[in-house]
């Protein structure tokens, strides 16, 4: 299933749009979200979940899944990652670590700024800088 709400053609001046979708999927179904200039929120995802956006926030609530975040290697953010039963790894990032243990990672990417919070219960968190 695919839902597309992109504007096609025409000129718009001083106009804004807000679109809110609520979609339910069966347990275990893979979900992929893409957006621009807006927030994406997903809860209760049981299958593979991927999301990307520009100029927006991504919020996802999963319990027993591996969390993999890929972002530009030069990105700036204040990073916080937590696992209960798992591990945290990172690669190809300009990361200044303020606290690090098997279950916890806090640090600053580049110049910092927007907060990134990652958490999972029974899996791992991977943070990868794309080159």
């Amino acid at each position: 299933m695919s839902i597309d709400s992109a504007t096609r053609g025409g000129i718009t001046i001083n106009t804004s749009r807000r679109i809110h979708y609520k979609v339910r999927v069966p347990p275990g179904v893979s979900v992929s979200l893409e957006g621009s200039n807006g927030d994406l929120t997903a809860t209760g995802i049981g299958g593979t979940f991927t999301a990307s956006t520009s100029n927006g926030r991504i919020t996802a609530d999963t319990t027993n899944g591996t969390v993999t975040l890929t972002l530009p290697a030069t990105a700036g953010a204040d990073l916080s990652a937590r696992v209960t039963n798992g591990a945290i790894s990172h690669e190809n990032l300009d990361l200044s670590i303020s606290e690090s243990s098997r279950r916890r990672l806090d640090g600053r990417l580049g110049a910092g700024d927007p907060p990134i919070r990652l958490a999972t219960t029974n899996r791992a968190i991977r943070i990868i800088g794309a080159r």
Side-chain angles (χ1 to χ4, degrees):
M1 177 175 76
S2 177
I3 299 171
D4 184 352
S5 58
T7 303
R8 307 269 191 259
I11 297 174
T12 57
I13 299 173
N14 295 327
T15 302
S16 65
R17 295 186 313 156
R18 177 178 293 260
I19 299 171
H20 180 108
Y21 294 108
K22 185 172 185 174
V23 179
R24 292 179 184 261
V25 297
V29 168
S30 296
V31 175
S32 178
L33 302 175
E34 293 181 36
S36 62
N37 298 320
D39 297 343
L40 301 175
T41 302
T43 59
I45 302 296
T48 302
F49 172 72
T50 59
S52 64
T53 186
S54 58
N55 302 317
R57 193 178 291 156
I58 297 173
T59 305
D61 177 12
T62 63
T63 301
N64 293 318
T66 297
V67 174
T68 302
L69 171 66
T70 304
L71 64 163
T74 58
D78 292 318
L79 177 70
S80 176
R82 304 286 184 271
V83 297
T84 303
N85 299 306
I88 302 169
S89 64
H90 58 88
E91 59 189 74
N92 300 328
L93 293 167
D94 176 17
L95 179 61
S96 299
I97 298 172
S98 59
E99 184 175 341
S100 178
S101 69
R102 184 175 168 270
R103 294 186 175 108
R104 180 181 191 116
L105 176 66
D106 291 318
R108 177 165 280 195
L109 295 168
D113 195 19
I116 295 177
R117 306 287 179 253
L118 307 169
T120 190
T121 302
N122 292 317
R123 293 294 210 154
I125 294 176
R126 296 180 59 221
I127 307 157
I128 303 167
R131 297 196 184 263

